Amino acid sequence: MTLIRTLSSLFQFRHGTAQPDDIKWLSYHIPKTAGSSLRQMFYKEFGRSSVYDVYRPDEAKKLGQGIPIQVTGGASIVHGHFRPHPQHCEFFPKAHRMVWVRDPIQRIWSLVGHLLDLQWKHPHYETLHKLYISKGIENQQDIVERIIKDGSIPYMVNTYTRYFSAVDIRDFSFVGSMHNFATSIELLNKEFNLSLKPLHRNSRTRAGIPQSLGNLKYLMEHEYSLVDDYL
């Protein structure tokens, strides 16, 4: 009880005080794994005020480091771009932990396409521009191949390795597959008595992923070994 009271004092919200037990779900959104669609499903199912989005870099960084953040009162779901941390189980003792995964090479392909579309509107585009575009390497396939072969952008190549370094993927309450989205949602609903309705995923594939990129899978075995069983 002392621990709960202490933790409760850390979560003073703009519109009331949240108790640690109020948070029922921690939803970890790895970029380009249908997290945006899932967020909209949460809004529709539970109401906008029940979902606290963690997309501001300062909040995501703190929570990913196991540092408490302020969350809007009335929230029952915390969802966003924060990394798993063992401390989260102490912050939110009643919360289930959810994460979604995608084929590692397809995720890189989608992310590069996203950056090429947004260009300077996205902070990570600067890295692509510096390493490749400024040198005349502008084709999406060429950029993805070089990222994988050179390991030039570690956060893209080692995403799952880094993401699940502090909390094993097997410790999550639910791991969904972007490739079997509707089936995963059905399973999630059944296991946790929910009624989420699948929305159309914003899948950024452009003209499709070149088959030749599949030949680079051997360079990504450290990533596939973590998520293959869930894809």
Side-chain angles (χ1 to χ4, degrees), residues 102-137:
R102 183 180 190 174
D103 178 275
I105 292 178
Q106 289 190 25
R107 202 199 69 84
I108 295 174
W109 171 268
S110 181
L111 181 56
V112 170
H114 181 61
L115 297 178
L116 291 176
D117 284 346
L118 293 182
Q119 298 190 10
W120 297 106
K121 295 179 182 178
H122 196 293
H124 290 165
Y125 176 76
E126 181 178 358
T127 302
L128 285 189
H129 190 275
K130 178 181 179 181
L131 292 176
Y132 302 114
I133 298 171
S134 66
K135 299 176 182 178
I137 304 170

Side-chain angles (χ1 to χ4, degrees), residues 32 54 140 213 230:
K32 313 314 297 177
V54 183
Q140 183 178 0
L213 288 179
Y230 303 95

Side-chain angles (χ1 to χ4, degrees), residues 103-110 112 139-149 205 208-220 224:
D103 178 275
I105 292 178
Q106 289 190 25
R107 202 199 69 84
I108 295 174
W109 171 268
S110 181
V112 170
N139 179 270
Q140 183 178 0
Q141 180 176 348
D142 293 337
I143 292 174
V144 171
E145 285 184 356
R146 286 176 178 265
I147 287 173
I148 294 174
K149 289 180 178 179
T205 59
I209 300 176
Q211 291 185 351
S212 61
L213 288 179
N215 297 329
L216 303 179
K217 185 174 179 178
Y218 74 99
L219 296 173
M220 300 283 292
Y224 280 97

Side-chain angles (χ1 to χ4, degrees), residues 55-73:
Y55 286 98
R56 281 172 36 192
D58 59 330
E59 285 193 321
K61 182 178 180 180
K62 286 182 179 179
L63 196 55
Q65 293 176 341
I67 301 172
I69 62 172
Q70 290 189 337
V71 179
T72 303

Side-chain angles (χ1 to χ4, degrees), residues 3 15 50 94 138 168 193 197 200:
L3 174 61
H15 303 292
S50 295
K94 299 295 185 181
E138 302 178 351
D168 194 292
N193 194 29
K197 295 178 176 58
H200 175 70

